[in-house]
mmCIF file of all heavy atoms in Angstrom:
data_model
loop_
_atom_site.group_PDB
_atom_site.id
_atom_site.type_symbol
_atom_site.label_atom_id
_atom_site.label_comp_id
_atom_site.label_asym_id
_atom_site.label_seq_id
_atom_site.Cartn_x
_atom_site.Cartn_y
_atom_site.Cartn_z
ATOM 1 N N LEU A 1307 -17.261 -46.817 -6.048
ATOM 2 C CA LEU A 1307 -17.763 -47.927 -5.133
ATOM 3 C C LEU A 1307 -18.903 -47.609 -4.380
ATOM 4 O O LEU A 1307 -19.286 -46.352 -4.172
ATOM 5 C CB LEU A 1307 -16.640 -48.303 -4.114
ATOM 6 C CG LEU A 1307 -15.262 -48.693 -4.781
ATOM 7 C CD1 LEU A 1307 -14.279 -48.939 -3.668
ATOM 8 C CD2 LEU A 1307 -15.518 -50.050 -5.522
ATOM 9 N N PRO A 1308 -19.688 -48.580 -3.783
ATOM 10 C CA PRO A 1308 -20.782 -48.326 -2.967
ATOM 11 C C PRO A 1308 -20.321 -47.498 -1.799
ATOM 12 O O PRO A 1308 -19.163 -47.531 -1.350
ATOM 13 C CB PRO A 1308 -21.217 -49.714 -2.534
ATOM 14 C CG PRO A 1308 -20.747 -50.654 -3.546
ATOM 15 C CD PRO A 1308 -19.414 -50.081 -4.092
ATOM 16 N N PRO A 1309 -21.255 -46.673 -1.254
ATOM 17 C CA PRO A 1309 -20.885 -45.796 -0.165
ATOM 18 C C PRO A 1309 -20.410 -46.532 1.112
ATOM 19 O O PRO A 1309 -20.937 -47.731 1.417
ATOM 20 C CB PRO A 1309 -22.094 -44.981 0.231
ATOM 21 C CG PRO A 1309 -23.170 -45.574 -0.571
ATOM 22 C CD PRO A 1309 -22.701 -46.523 -1.640
ATOM 23 N N ILE A 1310 -19.468 -46.069 1.829
ATOM 24 C CA ILE A 1310 -18.956 -46.618 3.071
ATOM 25 C C ILE A 1310 -18.776 -45.461 3.986
ATOM 26 O O ILE A 1310 -18.288 -44.470 3.611
ATOM 27 C CB ILE A 1310 -17.717 -47.467 2.849
ATOM 28 C CG1 ILE A 1310 -17.226 -48.054 4.271
ATOM 29 C CG2 ILE A 1310 -16.656 -46.753 2.139
ATOM 30 C CD1 ILE A 1310 -16.171 -49.091 4.187
ATOM 31 N N ASP A 1311 -19.177 -45.633 5.369
ATOM 32 C CA ASP A 1311 -18.924 -44.716 6.356
ATOM 33 C C ASP A 1311 -17.360 -44.223 6.310
ATOM 34 O O ASP A 1311 -16.549 -45.117 6.366
ATOM 35 C CB ASP A 1311 -19.273 -45.410 7.710
ATOM 36 C CG ASP A 1311 -19.115 -44.572 8.970
ATOM 37 O OD1 ASP A 1311 -18.391 -43.523 8.773
ATOM 38 O OD2 ASP A 1311 -19.536 -44.916 9.999
ATOM 39 N N ALA A 1312 -17.199 -42.921 6.345
ATOM 40 C CA ALA A 1312 -15.791 -42.452 6.361
ATOM 41 C C ALA A 1312 -15.026 -42.906 7.527
ATOM 42 O O ALA A 1312 -13.704 -43.012 7.395
ATOM 43 C CB ALA A 1312 -15.798 -40.853 6.309
ATOM 44 N N GLY A 1313 -15.595 -43.220 8.544
ATOM 45 C CA GLY A 1313 -14.906 -43.741 9.836
ATOM 46 C C GLY A 1313 -14.269 -45.138 9.582
ATOM 47 O O GLY A 1313 -13.430 -45.627 10.260
ATOM 48 N N LYS A 1314 -14.736 -45.776 8.486
ATOM 49 C CA LYS A 1314 -14.343 -47.171 8.243
ATOM 50 C C LYS A 1314 -13.362 -47.084 7.161
ATOM 51 O O LYS A 1314 -13.019 -48.230 6.535
ATOM 52 C CB LYS A 1314 -15.454 -48.104 7.974
ATOM 53 C CG LYS A 1314 -16.411 -48.491 9.130
ATOM 54 C CD LYS A 1314 -17.405 -49.351 8.708
ATOM 55 C CE LYS A 1314 -18.157 -49.937 9.989
ATOM 56 N NZ LYS A 1314 -19.121 -50.905 9.512
ATOM 57 N N VAL A 1315 -12.974 -46.013 6.681
ATOM 58 C CA VAL A 1315 -11.897 -45.793 5.596
ATOM 59 C C VAL A 1315 -10.720 -45.249 6.349
ATOM 60 O O VAL A 1315 -10.693 -44.256 6.982
ATOM 61 C CB VAL A 1315 -12.355 -44.793 4.610
ATOM 62 C CG1 VAL A 1315 -11.258 -44.592 3.507
ATOM 63 C CG2 VAL A 1315 -13.594 -45.238 3.812
ATOM 64 N N PHE A 1316 -9.633 -46.056 6.138
ATOM 65 C CA PHE A 1316 -8.393 -45.754 6.870
ATOM 66 C C PHE A 1316 -7.297 -45.369 5.891
ATOM 67 O O PHE A 1316 -7.097 -46.085 4.917
ATOM 68 C CB PHE A 1316 -7.856 -47.033 7.702
ATOM 69 C CG PHE A 1316 -8.767 -47.281 8.958
ATOM 70 C CD1 PHE A 1316 -9.912 -48.090 8.707
ATOM 71 C CD2 PHE A 1316 -8.439 -46.776 10.214
ATOM 72 C CE1 PHE A 1316 -10.678 -48.265 9.714
ATOM 73 C CE2 PHE A 1316 -9.270 -47.073 11.189
ATOM 74 C CZ PHE A 1316 -10.469 -47.860 11.080
ATOM 75 N N LEU A 1317 -6.589 -44.316 6.241
ATOM 76 C CA LEU A 1317 -5.444 -43.893 5.408
ATOM 77 C C LEU A 1317 -4.271 -44.394 6.239
ATOM 78 O O LEU A 1317 -4.120 -43.864 7.379
ATOM 79 C CB LEU A 1317 -5.251 -42.425 5.193
ATOM 80 C CG LEU A 1317 -6.598 -41.772 4.677
ATOM 81 C CD1 LEU A 1317 -6.385 -40.256 4.283
ATOM 82 C CD2 LEU A 1317 -6.905 -42.491 3.191
ATOM 83 N N MET A 1318 -3.418 -45.196 5.799
ATOM 84 C CA MET A 1318 -2.298 -45.730 6.478
ATOM 85 C C MET A 1318 -0.968 -45.209 5.858
ATOM 86 O O MET A 1318 -0.736 -45.420 4.729
ATOM 87 C CB MET A 1318 -2.306 -47.230 6.509
ATOM 88 C CG MET A 1318 -3.567 -47.911 7.056
ATOM 89 S SD MET A 1318 -3.181 -49.649 7.323
ATOM 90 C CE MET A 1318 -2.714 -50.260 5.647
ATOM 91 N N PRO A 1319 -0.025 -44.831 6.720
ATOM 92 C CA PRO A 1319 1.195 -44.439 6.128
ATOM 93 C C PRO A 1319 2.004 -45.596 5.462
ATOM 94 O O PRO A 1319 1.882 -46.704 6.074
ATOM 95 C CB PRO A 1319 2.089 -43.935 7.345
ATOM 96 C CG PRO A 1319 1.060 -43.674 8.488
ATOM 97 C CD PRO A 1319 -0.099 -44.615 8.129
ATOM 98 N N GLN A 1320 2.557 -45.406 4.322
ATOM 99 C CA GLN A 1320 3.409 -46.505 3.825
ATOM 100 C C GLN A 1320 4.636 -46.673 4.607
ATOM 101 O O GLN A 1320 5.461 -45.770 4.582
ATOM 102 C CB GLN A 1320 3.688 -46.146 2.267
ATOM 103 C CG GLN A 1320 4.114 -47.375 1.452
ATOM 104 C CD GLN A 1320 5.638 -47.757 1.687
ATOM 105 O OE1 GLN A 1320 5.940 -48.419 2.655
ATOM 106 N NE2 GLN A 1320 6.518 -47.173 0.903
ATOM 107 N N ALA A 1321 4.759 -47.766 5.376
ATOM 108 C CA ALA A 1321 5.721 -47.840 6.321
ATOM 109 C C ALA A 1321 6.065 -49.269 6.674
ATOM 110 O O ALA A 1321 5.196 -49.976 7.268
ATOM 111 C CB ALA A 1321 5.496 -47.034 7.563
ATOM 112 N N ALA A 1322 7.223 -49.796 6.231
ATOM 113 C CA ALA A 1322 7.617 -51.092 6.635
ATOM 114 C C ALA A 1322 8.582 -50.990 7.851
ATOM 115 O O ALA A 1322 8.790 -52.092 8.557
ATOM 116 C CB ALA A 1322 8.337 -51.794 5.524
ATOM 117 N N THR A 1323 8.960 -49.855 8.227
ATOM 118 C CA THR A 1323 9.876 -49.692 9.415
ATOM 119 C C THR A 1323 9.289 -48.578 10.267
ATOM 120 O O THR A 1323 8.622 -47.678 9.840
ATOM 121 C CB THR A 1323 11.296 -49.249 8.927
ATOM 122 O OG1 THR A 1323 11.214 -47.957 8.380
ATOM 123 C CG2 THR A 1323 11.875 -50.297 7.938
ATOM 124 N N ARG A 1324 9.879 -48.620 11.540
ATOM 125 C CA ARG A 1324 9.438 -47.657 12.593
ATOM 126 C C ARG A 1324 9.887 -46.168 11.998
ATOM 127 O O ARG A 1324 8.989 -45.257 12.189
ATOM 128 C CB ARG A 1324 10.208 -47.896 13.848
ATOM 129 C CG ARG A 1324 9.323 -47.857 15.055
ATOM 130 C CD ARG A 1324 10.286 -48.218 16.197
ATOM 131 N NE ARG A 1324 9.765 -49.444 16.758
ATOM 132 C CZ ARG A 1324 10.686 -50.330 17.414
ATOM 133 N NH1 ARG A 1324 11.822 -49.937 17.658
ATOM 134 N NH2 ARG A 1324 10.254 -51.410 17.859
ATOM 135 N N SER A 1325 10.962 -46.107 11.397
ATOM 136 C CA SER A 1325 11.469 -44.785 10.889
ATOM 137 C C SER A 1325 10.529 -44.216 9.766
ATOM 138 O O SER A 1325 10.169 -42.996 9.786
ATOM 139 C CB SER A 1325 12.973 -44.681 10.565
ATOM 140 O OG SER A 1325 13.122 -45.545 9.487
ATOM 141 N N GLU A 1326 10.163 -44.995 8.904
ATOM 142 C CA GLU A 1326 9.246 -44.618 7.793
ATOM 143 C C GLU A 1326 7.814 -44.282 8.401
ATOM 144 O O GLU A 1326 7.223 -43.344 7.875
ATOM 145 C CB GLU A 1326 9.090 -45.885 6.794
ATOM 146 C CG GLU A 1326 10.222 -46.044 5.949
ATOM 147 C CD GLU A 1326 10.080 -47.337 4.993
ATOM 148 O OE1 GLU A 1326 9.144 -48.088 5.211
ATOM 149 O OE2 GLU A 1326 10.815 -47.350 4.030
ATOM 150 N N LEU A 1327 7.471 -45.043 9.443
ATOM 151 C CA LEU A 1327 6.120 -44.667 10.125
ATOM 152 C C LEU A 1327 6.223 -43.346 10.618
ATOM 153 O O LEU A 1327 5.248 -42.503 10.456
ATOM 154 C CB LEU A 1327 5.831 -45.812 11.131
ATOM 155 C CG LEU A 1327 4.536 -45.696 11.766
ATOM 156 C CD1 LEU A 1327 3.339 -45.883 10.717
ATOM 157 C CD2 LEU A 1327 4.361 -46.843 12.892
ATOM 158 N N ALA A 1328 7.274 -43.005 11.351
ATOM 159 C CA ALA A 1328 7.374 -41.665 12.040
ATOM 160 C C ALA A 1328 7.424 -40.564 10.930
ATOM 161 O O ALA A 1328 6.866 -39.501 11.166
ATOM 162 C CB ALA A 1328 8.749 -41.689 12.835
ATOM 163 N N GLU A 1329 8.173 -40.822 9.928
ATOM 164 C CA GLU A 1329 8.431 -39.867 8.847
ATOM 165 C C GLU A 1329 7.049 -39.539 8.120
ATOM 166 O O GLU A 1329 6.687 -38.359 7.915
ATOM 167 C CB GLU A 1329 9.353 -40.422 7.882
ATOM 168 C CG GLU A 1329 9.796 -39.394 6.735
ATOM 169 C CD GLU A 1329 10.752 -40.224 5.802
ATOM 170 O OE1 GLU A 1329 11.483 -40.999 6.251
ATOM 171 O OE2 GLU A 1329 10.552 -39.855 4.641
ATOM 172 N N ARG A 1330 6.216 -40.493 7.855
ATOM 173 C CA ARG A 1330 5.096 -40.292 7.003
ATOM 174 C C ARG A 1330 3.728 -40.060 7.756
ATOM 175 O O ARG A 1330 2.711 -39.538 7.246
ATOM 176 C CB ARG A 1330 4.800 -41.529 6.061
ATOM 177 C CG ARG A 1330 6.052 -41.640 5.053
ATOM 178 C CD ARG A 1330 5.698 -42.467 3.858
ATOM 179 N NE ARG A 1330 6.733 -42.537 2.916
ATOM 180 C CZ ARG A 1330 7.542 -43.544 2.660
ATOM 181 N NH1 ARG A 1330 7.309 -44.747 3.114
ATOM 182 N NH2 ARG A 1330 8.621 -43.402 1.804
ATOM 183 N N SER A 1331 3.820 -40.301 9.022
ATOM 184 C CA SER A 1331 2.540 -40.206 9.762
ATOM 185 C C SER A 1331 1.981 -38.736 9.907
ATOM 186 O O SER A 1331 0.838 -38.611 9.693
ATOM 187 C CB SER A 1331 2.750 -40.718 11.243
ATOM 188 O OG SER A 1331 2.862 -42.109 11.261
ATOM 189 N N PRO A 1332 2.727 -37.766 10.047
ATOM 190 C CA PRO A 1332 2.205 -36.393 10.045
ATOM 191 C C PRO A 1332 1.464 -35.986 8.759
ATOM 192 O O PRO A 1332 0.438 -35.446 8.763
ATOM 193 C CB PRO A 1332 3.445 -35.466 10.310
ATOM 194 C CG PRO A 1332 4.433 -36.354 11.031
ATOM 195 C CD PRO A 1332 4.171 -37.722 10.434
ATOM 196 N N MET A 1333 2.008 -36.332 7.634
ATOM 197 C CA MET A 1333 1.448 -36.049 6.305
ATOM 198 C C MET A 1333 0.075 -36.781 6.289
ATOM 199 O O MET A 1333 -0.875 -36.142 5.735
ATOM 200 C CB MET A 1333 2.416 -36.452 5.218
ATOM 201 C CG MET A 1333 1.920 -36.364 3.816
ATOM 202 S SD MET A 1333 1.069 -37.931 3.201
ATOM 203 C CE MET A 1333 2.360 -39.111 3.176
ATOM 204 N N VAL A 1334 0.028 -38.004 6.726
ATOM 205 C CA VAL A 1334 -1.241 -38.821 6.387
ATOM 206 C C VAL A 1334 -2.260 -38.262 7.570
ATOM 207 O O VAL A 1334 -3.394 -38.145 7.289
ATOM 208 C CB VAL A 1334 -0.928 -40.248 6.712
ATOM 209 C CG1 VAL A 1334 -2.337 -41.036 6.919
ATOM 210 C CG2 VAL A 1334 -0.091 -40.831 5.577
ATOM 211 N N ALA A 1335 -1.761 -37.848 8.717
ATOM 212 C CA ALA A 1335 -2.696 -37.325 9.727
ATOM 213 C C ALA A 1335 -3.355 -36.032 9.116
ATOM 214 O O ALA A 1335 -4.564 -35.753 9.374
ATOM 215 C CB ALA A 1335 -1.880 -36.922 11.002
ATOM 216 N N GLN A 1336 -2.629 -35.159 8.525
ATOM 217 C CA GLN A 1336 -3.194 -33.964 7.845
ATOM 218 C C GLN A 1336 -4.163 -34.354 6.859
ATOM 219 O O GLN A 1336 -5.321 -33.654 6.835
ATOM 220 C CB GLN A 1336 -2.025 -33.137 7.176
ATOM 221 C CG GLN A 1336 -1.227 -32.397 8.226
ATOM 222 C CD GLN A 1336 -2.044 -31.461 9.171
ATOM 223 O OE1 GLN A 1336 -3.053 -30.802 8.734
ATOM 224 N NE2 GLN A 1336 -1.643 -31.579 10.385
ATOM 225 N N LEU A 1337 -3.915 -35.371 6.095
ATOM 226 C CA LEU A 1337 -4.947 -35.801 5.099
ATOM 227 C C LEU A 1337 -6.253 -36.293 5.753
ATOM 228 O O LEU A 1337 -7.384 -36.090 5.148
ATOM 229 C CB LEU A 1337 -4.316 -36.901 4.224
ATOM 230 C CG LEU A 1337 -3.181 -36.528 3.188
ATOM 231 C CD1 LEU A 1337 -2.578 -37.684 2.497
ATOM 232 C CD2 LEU A 1337 -3.743 -35.561 2.210
ATOM 233 N N CYS A 1338 -6.127 -36.954 6.823
ATOM 234 C CA CYS A 1338 -7.324 -37.414 7.588
ATOM 235 C C CYS A 1338 -8.125 -36.286 8.198
ATOM 236 O O CYS A 1338 -9.352 -36.251 8.078
ATOM 237 C CB CYS A 1338 -6.849 -38.396 8.775
ATOM 238 S SG CYS A 1338 -6.190 -39.945 8.335
ATOM 239 N N LEU A 1339 -7.412 -35.301 8.678
ATOM 240 C CA LEU A 1339 -8.107 -34.130 9.212
ATOM 241 C C LEU A 1339 -8.800 -33.327 8.133
ATOM 242 O O LEU A 1339 -9.947 -32.807 8.247
ATOM 243 C CB LEU A 1339 -7.116 -33.178 9.862
ATOM 244 C CG LEU A 1339 -6.557 -33.761 11.210
ATOM 245 C CD1 LEU A 1339 -5.443 -32.824 11.762
ATOM 246 C CD2 LEU A 1339 -7.686 -33.648 12.215
ATOM 247 N N LYS A 1340 -8.173 -33.328 6.944
ATOM 248 C CA LYS A 1340 -8.801 -32.678 5.826
ATOM 249 C C LYS A 1340 -10.026 -33.451 5.219
ATOM 250 O O LYS A 1340 -11.029 -32.776 4.796
ATOM 251 C CB LYS A 1340 -7.734 -32.574 4.647
ATOM 252 C CG LYS A 1340 -8.156 -31.948 3.426
ATOM 253 C CD LYS A 1340 -6.841 -31.609 2.567
ATOM 254 C CE LYS A 1340 -6.969 -32.467 1.252
ATOM 255 N NZ LYS A 1340 -5.639 -32.179 0.360
ATOM 256 N N SER A 1341 -9.994 -34.785 5.277
ATOM 257 C CA SER A 1341 -10.959 -35.606 4.579
ATOM 258 C C SER A 1341 -12.202 -36.170 5.512
ATOM 259 O O SER A 1341 -13.194 -36.462 4.947
ATOM 260 C CB SER A 1341 -10.289 -36.721 3.810
ATOM 261 O OG SER A 1341 -9.756 -37.626 4.788
ATOM 262 N N GLY A 1342 -11.768 -36.336 6.795
ATOM 263 C CA GLY A 1342 -12.671 -37.074 7.646
ATOM 264 C C GLY A 1342 -12.491 -38.564 7.677
ATOM 265 O O GLY A 1342 -13.204 -39.254 8.387
ATOM 266 N N PHE A 1343 -11.480 -39.073 6.915
ATOM 267 C CA PHE A 1343 -11.065 -40.452 6.933
ATOM 268 C C PHE A 1343 -10.302 -40.696 8.260
ATOM 269 O O PHE A 1343 -9.759 -39.761 8.846
ATOM 270 C CB PHE A 1343 -10.221 -40.970 5.819
ATOM 271 C CG PHE A 1343 -11.078 -40.749 4.468
ATOM 272 C CD1 PHE A 1343 -10.438 -40.311 3.319
ATOM 273 C CD2 PHE A 1343 -12.416 -41.112 4.448
ATOM 274 C CE1 PHE A 1343 -11.139 -40.273 2.115
ATOM 275 C CE2 PHE A 1343 -13.096 -40.982 3.217
ATOM 276 C CZ PHE A 1343 -12.406 -40.558 2.015
ATOM 277 N N SER A 1344 -10.221 -41.971 8.563
ATOM 278 C CA SER A 1344 -9.581 -42.323 9.860
ATOM 279 C C SER A 1344 -8.111 -42.517 9.636
ATOM 280 O O SER A 1344 -7.706 -43.019 8.514
ATOM 281 C CB SER A 1344 -10.065 -43.586 10.463
ATOM 282 O OG SER A 1344 -11.423 -43.501 10.819
ATOM 283 N N PHE A 1345 -7.269 -42.142 10.647
ATOM 284 C CA PHE A 1345 -5.836 -42.382 10.532
ATOM 285 C C PHE A 1345 -5.632 -43.884 10.825
ATOM 286 O O PHE A 1345 -6.072 -44.447 11.831
ATOM 287 C CB PHE A 1345 -5.057 -41.549 11.538
ATOM 288 C CG PHE A 1345 -3.592 -41.813 11.558
ATOM 289 C CD1 PHE A 1345 -2.767 -41.068 10.683
ATOM 290 C CD2 PHE A 1345 -2.991 -42.749 12.349
ATOM 291 C CE1 PHE A 1345 -1.389 -41.304 10.582
ATOM 292 C CE2 PHE A 1345 -1.675 -42.910 12.304
ATOM 293 C CZ PHE A 1345 -0.848 -42.172 11.366
ATOM 294 N N GLY A 1346 -4.897 -44.588 9.913
ATOM 295 C CA GLY A 1346 -4.689 -46.009 10.101
ATOM 296 C C GLY A 1346 -3.349 -46.303 10.730
ATOM 297 O O GLY A 1346 -2.244 -46.227 10.108
#
Side-chain angles (χ1 to χ4, degrees):
L1307 299 176
I1310 177 169
D1311 179 349
K1314 291 180 166 182
V1315 176
F1316 291 86
L1317 306 181
M1318 301 192 305
Q1320 195 281 86
T1323 66
R1324 228 177 248 154
S1325 60
E1326 286 175 343
L1327 187 61
E1329 186 186 324
R1330 295 197 174 115
S1331 287
M1333 174 269 296
V1334 174
Q1336 286 306 317
L1337 292 172
C1338 292
L1339 286 169
K1340 179 168 117 181
S1341 65
F1343 298 141
S1344 297
F1345 181 85

